[in-house]
Amino acid sequence: VSLWMGINGHGKSLVTSQIALDFLHQGDRVCIASFEMKPRATIARMVRQGFGTHQPSAIAVDAFITHASGKLWLYDKMGQTDPKHLLAIMRYARRKLGINHFFVDSIMKVVKGEDDYNGQKEFVNIICDFAQDTDCHVHLIHHSRKLGDENDVPGKMDAKGSGAIVDQIDQSFTVWRNKRKEQDRQKGKEIDETIPDALIVCDKNRHGEWEGRIGLY
């Protein structure tokens, strides 16, 4: 189980969409449960990412649908959902459809209440058990708490809610967007292009040796 965390608006869903797209290219089967974005919007963004253009042609859209057919599923549900119902959907998708990568966006749409620490702990616990029992990978998207300055990079200790979330998962990633660089560019200031536009920070990796930062441009 991997946790993808970040400040609101810093690109968690955008980055995990790119990752899901790459799993499709590798032949994996992916299910995306986004409770904050409609399936048609999710697909539209993946098409733009896949072809590297803001306005893909109808031919490109058709090609993506053909490529994703039999490999990509989307759980069509907006707003709050029930943890037990979501788990039942995931068990079905794993058993009947062979899904091996699940993306759940986000924890706060599954567990009601930011201060329901026991509920968050229990949900992540059953997700970890599910991943181990069925030999699949679950990617949980989660919000970090608000820091004093949006230009500060959050870490695993800044996950919103229960500390048991980070304790139980296998990997923790933070997605951070360099808003200061964006603002300076918009103001016409001279930009140091060696400074990344965004970061992916791995600060927990239970089964691997590497932890560190990856700069994105």
Side-chain angles (χ1 to χ4, degrees):
V1 177
S2 295
L3 185 74
W4 295 89
M5 185 183 68
I7 302 168
N8 186 39
H10 275 239
K12 301 180 297 296
S13 299
L14 183 71
V15 168
T16 50
S17 174
Q18 182 70 51
I19 290 166
L21 187 64
D22 197 59
F23 283 133
L24 294 180
H25 289 330
Q26 295 179 48
D28 288 319
R29 294 189 172 196
V30 172
C31 179
I32 299 174
S34 175
F35 306 109
E36 301 179 0
M37 181 180 291
K38 292 182 179 180
R40 63 187 299 171
T42 298
I43 292 173
R45 182 167 62 185
M46 293 182 80
V47 173
R48 293 196 300 269
Q49 288 177 310
F51 287 90
T53 176
H54 288 291
Q55 294 181 318
S57 65
I59 294 175
V61 174
D62 289 342
F64 176 83
I65 297 301
T66 300
H67 175 68
S69 180
K71 292 185 290 186
L72 175 64
W73 280 264
L74 295 101
Y75 179 37
D76 189 2
K77 175 75 165 65
M78 290 288 291
Q80 202 74 30
T81 193
D82 178 73
K84 292 182 179 179
H85 181 70
L86 176 62
L87 183 63
I89 293 290
M90 292 171 67
R91 288 194 179 280
Y92 171 85
R94 179 61 176 143
R95 183 175 66 253
K96 295 293 187 179
L97 304 175
I99 302 296
N100 52 347
H101 283 278
F102 292 89
F103 290 81
V104 179
D105 191 359
S106 63
I107 291 177
M108 292 302 178
K109 289 296 184 180
V110 183
V111 181
K112 292 182 179 179
E114 294 182 7
D115 57 351
D116 185 3
Y117 295 164
N118 288 332
Q120 295 164 12
K121 178 181 178 181
E122 178 61 22
F123 171 65
V124 176
N125 182 55
I126 64 173
I127 289 296
C128 289
D129 287 346
F130 165 77
Q132 292 178 352
D133 293 344
T134 61
D135 191 27
C136 68
H137 196 147
V138 182
H139 305 261
L140 298 174
I141 289 84
H142 189 47
H143 297 283
S144 64
R145 63 182 179 85
K146 290 181 173 64
L147 304 178
D149 188 337
E150 194 174 15
N151 293 305
D152 295 335
V153 183
K156 62 184 179 182
M157 305 304 293
D158 298 310
K160 185 176 287 188
S162 172
I165 295 175
V166 175
D167 291 342
Q168 296 182 91
I169 50 93
D170 298 287
Q171 297 169 313
S172 176
F173 299 96
T174 296
V175 178
W176 177 81
R177 183 171 166 181
N178 193 338
K179 292 290 188 77
R180 179 175 291 164
K181 182 178 178 182
E182 291 182 20
Q183 292 164 2
D184 287 348
R185 181 183 287 115
Q186 291 169 0
K187 293 176 182 177
K189 294 183 179 180
E190 186 175 347
I191 303 297
D192 183 355
E193 294 296 352
T194 63
I195 299 174
D197 294 278
L199 292 173
I200 293 180
V201 182
C202 176
D203 54 6
K204 179 179 180 181
N205 197 353
R206 178 174 288 158
H207 305 295
E209 298 179 357
W210 183 84
E211 294 181 2
R213 296 184 173 195
I214 299 172
L216 305 179
Y217 296 85

